[in-house]
Amino acid sequence: MVSKAVAKYVHALHLKKYRTRHAAFLVEGGKSVRELLSSGISTERLIATAEFAEKIAAELPAGLPLDLVSEGELTRLSSLSTNNTALAVARLPAETPLRPAPNQLLLALDDVRDPGNVGTLIRLADWYGLAGVVCSDTCADPWAPKTVVATMGSFTRVPVWQRNLPEWLGTLPDGLPVYGADLHGDNVHRLTLRPSGVLIMGSESHGLTPPVEACLTQRLHIPGRGQAESLNVAVSAAILLDNFFRNG
């Protein structure tokens, strides 16, 4: 069993204010924990079932505090409905200021509040080898447990920066392409896009906020043939990113 103090600390890290205060976050599930252990992100503590700890014994850093618990206790500490492997406490990585470089595409998220969508979008950035993800300060916390789980380990490889998005966009060089998804934009299937600049994805319900929309240099539309009102933001981002890299 973990001590009451450790259990209280883990439960506190489910909330953003305590993640910020302690500069720490939770990583849940066997796959994500193994990605963490093989990354450059510092692991503070591991809580695991005996079976899982034995399975990954060779991957554990020397001196890492390890608590062995039952599946029931692990699930009670976790945000997952069931957790039969592990949970780790990790140190928040130092923020990397993100600036577009020549022939490099960044993904920016404007008021995307669902942690599962934010995590999936970080995973997409990893798949396409993007330089990073800039989240508006109204997005779901990139380090929330549900966000981290949804990245499927990509949180260890993709720099994420949370900022006031209109202010950040205002600092970009003149002439840098800034793309955004828009129902009234150009048909993306008829364009030849290069992976350079910034692609901004907005809220599934409301689209881009007006201050962010005012920063766009080109609006992109994904034409549909059916009756669905909209696409999930992560699905839309995947379609658009594929068009950026189609000729690469």
Side-chain angles (χ1 to χ4, degrees):
M1 293 179 61
V2 298
S3 69
K4 288 183 179 180
V6 169
K8 182 179 179 181
Y9 180 44
V10 169
H11 283 301
L13 294 178
H14 287 264
L15 300 177
K16 182 175 182 178
K17 68 177 181 178
Y18 293 111
R19 291 193 292 273
T20 302
R21 180 181 300 176
H22 296 291
F25 68 106
L26 299 178
V27 179
E28 302 172 288
K31 173 178 169 49
S32 294
V33 165
R34 294 181 85 165
E35 293 270 14
L36 170 68
L37 294 172
S38 65
S39 75
I41 298 176
S42 175
T43 305
E44 185 178 300
R45 176 177 292 272
L46 180 64
I47 302 170
T49 61
E51 181 183 7
F52 185 75
E54 183 179 358
K55 180 180 177 180
I56 65 164
E59 302 169 36
L60 298 179
L64 175 67
L66 171 62
D67 297 293
L68 299 179
V69 296
S70 67
E71 291 184 18
E73 186 176 6
L74 186 59
T75 298
R76 286 191 292 273
L77 292 170
S78 177
S79 70
L80 302 174
S81 57
T82 58
N83 187 345
N84 59 6
T85 51
L87 175 155
V89 176
R91 305 303 300 168
L92 285 173
E95 285 193 326
T96 304
L98 292 173
R99 300 283 297 176
N103 300 314
Q104 192 177 72
L105 186 66
L106 285 173
L107 182 63
L109 310 182
D110 180 25
D111 200 33
V112 179
R113 301 198 177 198
D114 181 84
N117 281 335
V118 172
T120 302
L121 287 157
I122 293 170
R123 187 179 177 189
L124 272 172
D126 189 17
W127 179 261
Y128 283 99
L130 303 189
V133 177
V134 180
C135 297
S136 72
D137 48 17
T138 55
C139 280
D141 182 10
W143 303 107
K146 289 183 179 178
T147 309
V148 173
V149 167
T151 71
M152 295 294 288
S154 293
F155 73 92
T156 63
R157 291 180 290 273
V158 178
V160 179
W161 208 27
Q162 195 155 25
R163 282 291 178 271
N164 179 301
L165 197 54
E167 288 183 6
W168 177 78
L169 290 167
T171 68
L172 299 181
D174 292 339
L176 185 82
V178 179
Y179 303 95
D182 190 288
L183 288 173
H184 306 290
D186 299 321
N187 184 337
V188 71
H189 297 154
R190 297 175 182 168
L191 301 173
T192 300
L193 298 169
R194 293 190 308 107
S196 177
V198 181
L199 171 63
I200 308 175
M201 302 303 300
S203 158
E204 191 172 321
S205 302
H206 307 292
L208 298 175
T209 57
V212 168
E213 192 174 14
C215 299
L216 299 182
T217 62
Q218 187 165 10
R219 301 163 191 264
L220 305 177
H221 172 56
I222 302 167
R225 298 179 182 273
Q227 300 301 311
E229 183 179 334
S230 64
L231 285 173
N232 170 272
V233 62
V235 172
S236 298
I239 294 170
L240 294 176
L241 286 170
D242 198 62
N243 277 274
F244 275 96
F245 290 93
R246 186 173 298 276
N247 300 312

